[in-house]
Amino acid sequence: MPLEPFRRGPTWWARGRVEYFGAAITDYYRCSTGASEEAGAWDWCRAEEERQIRRHVLGDEPDAQPDAIFNFADAVLIYKPSAADAGYLVPILTKLGSLPVAAITPKLVRDLGQELYPDASTDTWVRHVVTPVRSVINNAHDLGHCAPIRIKGYSKEERVAQDIKRGRKSRVKKTPGSWEWLLRFRQHAPKRHAALAMFMFMTGARISQAVAMHPDRHLKLDEMLICIPAAKGHDDRWISVPQELVTELASLPRIYPRGFDRTAENLRVFGFADRSSPRKGWARACKLAGIDLLPFHAAGRHGFGQEMNVRQGIDEKAAGEFGGWSDTSLMRRTYTHAEQTAEKIHEAQIRGLRAAEQATKLTLFSSAEGEKKGKA
């Protein structure tokens, strides 16, 4: 099909092939246009089609040598980073800004992680260096300025070596939330914090999604529906919720976050300005309750994944759809955790033993007991 835009989170992407007289002249596109509005995305698609058709008919322009003059700073200028990525790109630009994109190799990028953040983990190097550089260059490739780049992550051996060097272990096992933890937390938490914790645990929503919710745009409590705001490539999605959560959300007053103008647009369901705002009250409630201080993500999204998949045994397709995981293997791999390992294994072994004893009419220690009787 010809190039056409589609929305993916806050930006518009393009998909399809460029065609010339009904025949495809390019590979399949599935890339960001960098546009936040549909009209801008259509403009990108039409411009890309014109460029590829001109190239197909006339060939490459003889004096066009983008790789020789297109440097990393140029690529950053045409990239639209998130607020976090913009911060990560500042130190990267001091090292790579003047380099031609064609001269940037995967090894150079990987080594830059250690140079910029010598005391950080390899996971931090990926997030702060590898991912932003790869995104910038591949965005420029999508726009026809340079070749793409592939950068593999760091190996397990590299991760362990860096952890030893810095004296800290990365990828510390998360403790997921539970109903027991939530009930104790709610005994000591302010009302907004108690509702927030319950909401994230029962829906799998992220803290950033929860604090962004508007009572008029994201709640239809009379229909027992709530809307989880778009995030991580997912559009807004409406889900049905149980009466207990409806009652909890209905009891919240209409709140303006601190420092916000008192306009209807600035109302928030939980009344927090951003994802950091609940932190102090959250920590205080955990301390008063005498429970582990679980981060928002562990108490909420990890707790939801663990409760549904491990404790309640809900099928992964249902849990994944409700919780907003398009890849259920990611949910299993990252959001489920081993619990009561020894007890479960012991119980399973004994169940197997008793079933075998019943089937064979033998007991585990029958041979030993027979030998004792023979000696007697």
Side-chain angles (χ1 to χ4, degrees), residues 37-57:
E37 301 290 339
E38 184 177 6
W42 277 111
D43 289 342
W44 186 94
C45 290
R46 299 293 79 84
E48 180 64 8
E49 286 176 341
E50 291 176 6
R51 188 180 72 84
Q52 291 293 353
I53 291 173
R54 187 171 61 250
R55 182 182 181 186
H56 177 72
V57 174

Side-chain angles (χ1 to χ4, degrees), residues 53 80 139 156 171 220 269 301 316:
I53 291 173
K80 294 184 178 180
N139 175 71
K156 180 180 179 180
R171 301 189 184 181
K220 294 182 181 178
V269 172
R301 195 159 175 80
E316 66 181 50

Side-chain angles (χ1 to χ4, degrees), residues 363-376:
T363 60
L364 181 64
F365 299 110
S366 58
S367 298
E369 291 172 355
E371 290 178 4
K372 290 179 181 178
K373 291 178 179 179
K375 292 180 181 178

